[in-house]
Amino acid sequence: MNTALQIRNNTTDGAFEAVLDDEVVGRVGYRLRQDRVVLTHTEVDEAHRGEGIANQLVQTALDDIVATGRRLTNFCPFIADYIADHPSYKTIVDPDHPGGAAVPERAPREN
């Protein structure tokens, strides 16, 4: 039995998935739009909330956007809060298409 969390990019379903013991326990949904990635939502199974899975998923998704040179359009409030806490990611938000979840202007929280 494998208890290590794995994050994979399921390009068929358009989601970064958190997999634990061969079960998908969380995901960040996305759509590709030309040179942008539209992040739509973050979800983690209730039994696994509070384990840092959502943070790992979001970091992986944002790092992938950075690595591919795309821009971000965000509709997920959790991701907006993550970016506020990790302001280096603000540079990838598409100023012309920021999405419906604005990054709050506040000092980053301690993790």
Side-chain angles (χ1 to χ4, degrees):
M1 181 156 105
N2 180 13
T3 58
L5 183 72
Q6 298 177 352
I7 307 292
R8 67 183 180 205
N9 183 354
N10 182 337
T11 57
T12 302
D13 289 342
F16 286 89
E17 298 174 333
V19 180
L20 188 63
D21 294 329
D22 298 323
E23 178 184 353
V24 176
V25 297
R27 57 183 284 142
V28 169
Y30 70 84
R31 294 185 311 268
L32 298 177
R33 296 289 183 257
Q34 296 153 345
D35 64 342
R36 292 182 293 125
V37 177
V38 179
L39 296 181
T40 58
H41 66 283
T42 304
E43 60 186 71
V44 174
D45 289 352
E46 194 170 322
H48 294 284
R49 291 185 185 155
E51 297 175 12
I53 293 172
N55 285 332
Q56 290 179 59
L57 278 165
V58 171
Q59 180 180 358
T60 300
L62 295 176
D63 285 347
D64 185 73
I65 294 169
V66 169
T68 59
R70 292 187 166 112
R71 305 294 285 174
L72 167 64
T73 297
N74 180 45
F75 287 93
C76 176
F78 182 87
I79 293 171
D81 283 341
Y82 186 91
I83 293 170
D85 290 336
H86 302 86
S88 64
Y89 290 113
K90 285 184 177 183
T91 61
I92 64 172
V93 176
D94 188 325
D96 296 326
H97 303 94
V103 175
E105 289 296 331
R106 60 173 162 77
R109 292 180 288 197
E110 303 255 340
N111 289 335

